[in-house]
Amino acid sequence: IGPHRVWCHTAADLADVKRIGKAHGATVNDVVLAAITSGFRDLLLSRGDDPDTTVVRSLVPVSVRKPDADGIPDNRVSALLLELPVAVSDPLERLSEVQAAMADLKGSHMAEAGEVVTDIGNLAPPALLGAATRLGMRAQHFVSQRSISTVTTNVPGPQFPLYCLGREMLEYLPFVPITPGVRIGTAILSYNGVLAFGITGDWDTAKDIDLLAAGIDTAMEAMRG
C-alpha cells in the first residue's frame, strides 16, 4: 500500500439494526457484517471482478469477556477470521450466511486461540476502538498477509449525548488505520442511537470506497424490508 489514505463514512439507525437482528435471530454484529459484505460485493462488481470466485476475508475483533468478569473495567478482545459471503446476492441470505459462519467460528474456539496473541492491557472504555485496531494490526504478524483482505471492528459507544464546554457532540465518527497487506478497513461505532461506519482505504488502490459505503446503505434498506 502507498503512504496516502482516503476515508469516507455512512451511518444507520441503531434501533433499525437491532430490529433486523431480532427479526432474524441475529446479533447486531451479524447485521453489520452482512451489510459490509454487501458493500464489498458491490465494490467487486464495479471493478469487474467475479464475487463468485473472489475470497474476501476480514479480521473481526470480538469480546472474550466471561460472565465472571462483568463489571471489571478492562477490555478483553480477541479476533476471528471471517470469510465474507460476497458470492451471495440476496441480502437476507447473506445475513443468514454471516450468522452461521460467525456461530461456527465462535464454536471452533478460534477466539480463545487468538487470545494467546492478545495483550492489550487494562484500558479505559474510550480506548476500546484503539485496542481493537491494534489487535488487528498485531494479528497480521501471526497470519499470512494473503489470509486477510480487510479488518472490521465494531465497538459499542455511549447511547446518550456527550458534551464538551456545554456543546453537544453531534456525531462520533470512527477511523481505523490500515497496514501493509490490507487496503481497506472499516470501523463501526455506535453513539446516541446511531451506528456510524468509518471506512479507510489506500489512496493508490482503493479510492472507490464510497461504493462500499453506498453498498452498506443499500443492504441496510433491503434488510429493513
Side-chain angles (χ1 to χ4, degrees), residues 26-38:
T27 66
V28 167
N29 205 39
D30 292 337
V31 176
V32 163
L33 288 168
I36 289 172
T37 300
S38 179

Side-chain angles (χ1 to χ4, degrees), residues 162-174:
L162 300 179
Y163 294 85
C164 180
L165 301 177
R167 303 291 184 175
E168 181 180 351
M169 183 172 76
L170 302 180
E171 294 181 290
Y172 201 165
L173 303 179

Side-chain angles (χ1 to χ4, degrees), residues 76-225:
R76 304 182 185 193
V77 184
S78 184
L80 300 175
L81 192 58
L82 173 68
E83 186 170 316
L84 303 180
V86 291
V88 180
S89 60
D90 180 79
L92 293 180
E93 187 179 345
R94 263 196 307 267
L95 174 58
S96 179
E97 290 281 338
V98 166
Q99 185 181 359
M102 286 296 288
D104 286 345
L105 288 173
K106 291 173 183 176
S108 71
H109 304 290
M110 184 185 290
E112 286 86 345
E115 220 177 340
V116 174
V117 299
T118 304
D119 181 20
I120 59 175
N122 295 324
L123 302 172
L128 181 54
L129 183 60
T133 298
R134 288 193 295 276
L135 170 62
M137 296 168 67
R138 179 178 298 180
Q140 291 175 54
H141 295 292
F142 292 88
V143 296
S144 167
Q145 286 292 321
R146 296 183 180 181
S147 298
I148 301 176
S149 307
T150 186
V151 175
T152 308
T153 71
N154 183 15
V155 176
Q159 296 310 303
F160 47 84
L162 300 179
Y163 294 85
C164 180
L165 301 177
R167 303 291 184 175
E168 181 180 351
M169 183 172 76
L170 302 180
E171 294 181 290
Y172 201 165
L173 303 179
F175 167 83
V176 58
I178 54 176
T179 61
V182 176
R183 303 181 190 281
I184 299 174
T186 306
I188 306 98
L189 182 65
S190 59
Y191 167 62
N192 198 25
V194 175
L195 200 63
F197 297 75
I199 306 167
T200 308
D202 172 48
W203 176 265
D204 296 322
T205 57
K207 284 192 186 76
D208 51 357
I209 55 172
D210 58 318
L211 297 175
L212 196 161
I216 291 172
D217 291 340
T218 301
M220 286 295 184
E221 186 174 347
M223 287 188 288
R224 279 196 299 266

